[in-house]
Amino acid sequence: MSKFWSPFVRDLEPYVPGEQPKMARLVKLNTNEHPLAPSPKVIEAIRAAADERLRLYPDPDATELKDAIATYYGVDTDQVFVGNGSDEVLAHIFFGLFKQDRPLLFPDITYSFYKVYCGLYDIDYRPVSLDDDLAIDPADYSAPNGGIIFPNPNAPTGRLLPLDAIESILNANPDSVVVVDEAYVDFGGDTAIALVNRYPNLLVTQTLSKSRALAGARIGFAVGDVALIEGLERIKNSFNSYPLDRLAIAAGKAAFEDEDWFQRGRELVIEERETLRRALDGLGFEVLPSAANFLFCRHPGHAGAKLAGALREQGIIVRHFGKPERIQDYLRITVGRPDQNRALLEALQQFL
Ligand SMILES: *Cc1c(COP(=O)(O)O)cnc(C)c1O
């Protein structure tokens, strides 16, 4: 607290990211990073971009990256917006599209940054309860609103909505922007980018942090109708003209050009997820169906905080959310490398 702060800073409740521990040799399964190193072609592209040109500002439009994304998804370049991680893309979406008279709707159990952005930009919102199975029910998204956002698959549950459920939300809300945050879609879902040319109110966000193993490079993007993208560009160009540096632009472009690495990485994660799911099941955990690179689970005999604490003592970090109460006994476990997943299972077996 300081007298120098703007008045509203006192009341902000900032997002608390998953811990990035400094200790070596931890089994880190708490922030949904990819278990593999990024594509060697990405590293090579970063090396090739690290030269005297760093003297110059990067392309403010990151055109090469937008072109690569547009080509990959079969849309036009002016339907693509890029930012410094999808968190920044989301920030511009909240300020540029969701600051409306009516409240924003999002699930009560979801990515906790949404609430933080509502606080930052003074946006009214209404949490919509997940159903008894911790799933999103599209029928619950028909109240008057100034926008709708949800991750698909949802975080931290991992549950996936099929595209026809998303279409029903879009059809019920033709006058609202519906944002589908697809941070994890590559691990088991169909992207709603396939729908953007039919729904001018649909905006899809994705990140290179999870399925392309580039959390450290900070690259996210949105795809949607040209008019929505134009609104976001207006915000971005009133905030930071150069959100992506030269190295990130080169890395992102190379990532979309190495389909082989991408497919192998996804397959590994999906396979490991299913192996881990079966093993947790065998240990007595209730595991929600997951289309993401993490599993959300609880053990009927043990409190979530206890389990997370016991794992930590063994040098294994998973994510545990104290709130809301409904999920306080759940652990969100990132699917790691096979050796990491084995270490997790051994530690759990010992504890149980
Ligand atoms: C990880 C995550 C993001 C943010 O990704 P960055 O691109 O790393 O900022 C956004 N939404 C959800 C649901 C996430 O899990």
Side-chain angles (χ1 to χ4, degrees):
M1 183 87 81
S2 157
K3 68 174 180 180
F4 299 115
W5 289 1
S6 307
F8 87 104
V9 173
R10 259 182 321 208
D11 301 325
L12 283 182
E13 277 187 53
Y15 178 72
V16 184
E19 187 187 358
Q20 295 294 345
K22 303 283 183 291
M23 278 148 69
R25 298 215 328 276
L26 281 176
V27 177
K28 191 175 171 308
L29 303 176
N30 66 330
T31 50
N32 299 341
E33 288 135 332
H34 201 292
L36 299 183
S39 156
K41 290 182 182 156
V42 169
I43 308 291
E44 190 41 50
I46 293 172
R47 287 216 173 90
D51 59 19
E52 64 87 22
R53 287 170 300 171
L54 283 172
R55 186 173 62 78
L56 304 169
Y57 281 104
D59 171 11
D61 292 319
T63 311
E64 286 193 355
L65 174 58
K66 284 184 181 172
D67 282 345
I69 295 169
T71 303
Y72 191 85
Y73 286 108
V75 296
D76 294 334
T77 301
D78 58 4
Q79 292 181 280
V80 180
F81 179 80
V82 296
N84 189 252
S86 63
D87 283 339
E88 186 186 79
V89 174
L90 289 167
H92 294 336
I93 289 170
F94 274 66
F95 197 32
L97 303 173
F98 286 161
K99 200 165 160 56
Q100 307 285 353
D101 293 334
R102 288 175 170 166
L104 176 67
L105 304 184
F106 52 81
D108 63 340
I109 295 168
T110 195
Y111 187 39
S112 54
F113 226 134
Y114 300 159
K115 212 193 278 187
V116 173
Y117 287 137
C118 287
L120 178 61
Y121 294 122
D122 192 22
I123 294 165
D124 187 22
Y125 68 93
R126 231 193 62 207
V128 180
S129 290
L130 295 184
D131 72 14
D132 291 342
D133 299 323
L134 296 179
I136 291 172
D137 183 348
D140 293 337
Y141 291 79
S142 52
N145 64 75
I148 293 172
I149 184 168
F150 54 87
N152 196 43
N154 194 11
T157 64
R159 278 187 177 277
L160 181 78
L161 281 183
L163 286 187
D164 59 354
I166 289 174
E167 285 201 74
S168 80
I169 295 176
L170 287 161
N171 285 320
N173 296 277
D175 298 321
S176 300
V177 174
V178 177
V179 175
V180 185
D181 176 350
E182 294 189 336
Y184 301 104
V185 78
D186 292 327
F187 299 111
D190 292 325
T191 177
I193 291 175
L195 305 175
V196 294
N197 287 333
R198 283 198 283 132
Y199 294 92
N201 59 331
L202 169 63
L203 194 61
V204 180
T205 63
Q206 287 195 8
T207 174
L208 279 70
S209 297
K210 314 292 175 26
S211 60
R212 294 180 190 270
L214 288 172
R218 313 305 303 130
I219 309 164
F221 63 96
V223 179
D225 188 68
V226 181
L228 295 179
I229 301 303
E230 210 182 301
L232 296 179
E233 296 288 355
R234 288 171 70 93
I235 297 278
K236 172 246 172 194
N237 289 319
S238 307
F239 178 79
N240 177 6
S241 313
Y242 307 102
L244 290 186
D245 60 64
R246 286 177 175 276
L247 308 185
I249 293 170
K253 174 173 185 284
F256 278 99
E257 289 168 354
D258 194 350
E259 184 65 8
D260 216 50
W261 180 96
F262 174 67
Q263 292 299 344
R264 273 187 289 120
R266 302 173 56 218
E267 279 160 25
L268 172 95
V269 171
I270 292 169
E271 247 176 65
E272 279 299 308
R273 178 183 70 211
E274 294 315 306
T275 306
L276 188 57
R277 192 180 53 74
R278 282 191 297 270
L280 288 169
D281 203 60
L283 290 174
F285 279 86
E286 293 167 21
V287 190
L288 292 193
S290 171
N293 65 341
F294 57 82
L295 291 168
F296 202 52
C297 59
R298 69 174 168 189
H299 196 285
H302 299 275
K306 260 267 183 59
L307 281 167
L311 286 172
R312 170 172 284 271
E313 277 174 25
Q314 304 296 314
I316 298 166
I317 308 190
V318 300
R319 193 93 197 252
H320 169 254
F321 303 89
K323 283 185 301 186
E325 209 171 301
R326 229 173 135 197
I327 59 165
Q328 72 181 5
D329 282 331
Y330 281 85
L331 301 178
R332 192 197 67 191
I333 304 174
T334 305
V335 176
R337 292 189 313 263
D339 60 302
Q340 296 176 309
N341 302 334
R342 272 197 303 275
L344 167 87
L345 290 167
E346 275 166 27
L348 283 172
Q349 209 156 17
Q350 256 179 38
F351 174 79
L352 297 168

